[in-house]
Amino acid sequence: MTECRMPPIAEKDFTAAQKQAQDEFVAERKVPFSGPWHVFVRSPELLMRTHRVGEFLRYRCSLSGRLSEFCILMVARHWSQDYEWGAHRKHALAAGVTEASIAAIRDGRRPSPLADDEQTIWDFVSELLATRRVSDATYAAAKARFGENGVVELCGLVGYYSMLAMTMNVARVEPPEGETALPRFPE
């Protein structure tokens, strides 16, 4: 990977709006200010609106943590987003996604075996990312398993993590410390 285009801004160089956004983020999320947020702080209002959507999708959506993290890894792999992958690989393991599934997603393969709910996520997310829509059959399967609310939240996860991935790819955000870059597929 080449040098980061938008490295972290030193706190002493923050504008008042950037400082306020960082302080609110840390107070609300209770996690370090890292990864995409160093990029998004360049637009403090977008940072705060984006973080609130992410807080809902990560911690309060109707899909289980295991299914959410499975989806997030699929999105990170689709965009070859190293930071997103490295950060969420650990979350996925903690949420119950198997090492074998994580390795398959990393390598661009369909994991096998998959639980029924993971198969529904795999089919829906794969199809949505590949074709920008889903077939009636794929939609019906997702709706039957997760309801309309779950389908909308699944779309939200794909869209939110795609936005983060695209932004971090443009900024060339490096993987988290201790993590390695994803293998690149031919483009």
Side-chain angles (χ1 to χ4, degrees), residues 65-87:
R66 176 178 56 84
L67 295 177
S68 294
E69 293 299 335
F70 187 84
C71 170
I72 293 164
L73 289 182
M74 291 180 68
V75 171
R77 175 67 271 186
H78 173 80
W79 290 103
S80 294
Q81 208 324 287
D82 299 324
Y83 186 92
E84 194 166 75
W85 177 270

Side-chain angles (χ1 to χ4, degrees), residues 9 16 19 32-34 37 46 56 60 64-65 74-75 80 86 92 104 113 115 117-118 120 138 165 172 175 185:
I9 300 169
K19 178 68 173 137
F33 195 74
S34 62
W37 311 115
L46 181 59
F56 169 77
R60 296 185 289 144
S64 71
M74 291 180 68
V75 171
S80 294
D117 55 359
E118 291 171 333
T120 303
T138 300
R172 294 183 180 155
F185 297 138

Side-chain angles (χ1 to χ4, degrees), residues 16-61:
Q18 289 171 327
K19 178 68 173 137
Q20 180 180 352
Q22 180 197 35
D23 290 349
E24 287 180 28
F25 174 92
V26 171
E28 291 174 17
R29 279 271 181 109
K30 297 178 179 32
V31 296
F33 195 74
S34 62
W37 311 115
H38 286 296
V39 177
F40 277 89
V41 77
R42 288 158 170 84
S43 176
E45 185 172 354
L46 181 59
L47 181 151
M48 292 311 296
R49 292 177 186 273
T50 301
H51 130 70
R52 288 191 175 102
V53 170
E55 187 275 332
F56 169 77
L57 290 169
R58 278 285 311 284
Y59 305 112
R60 296 185 289 144
C61 90

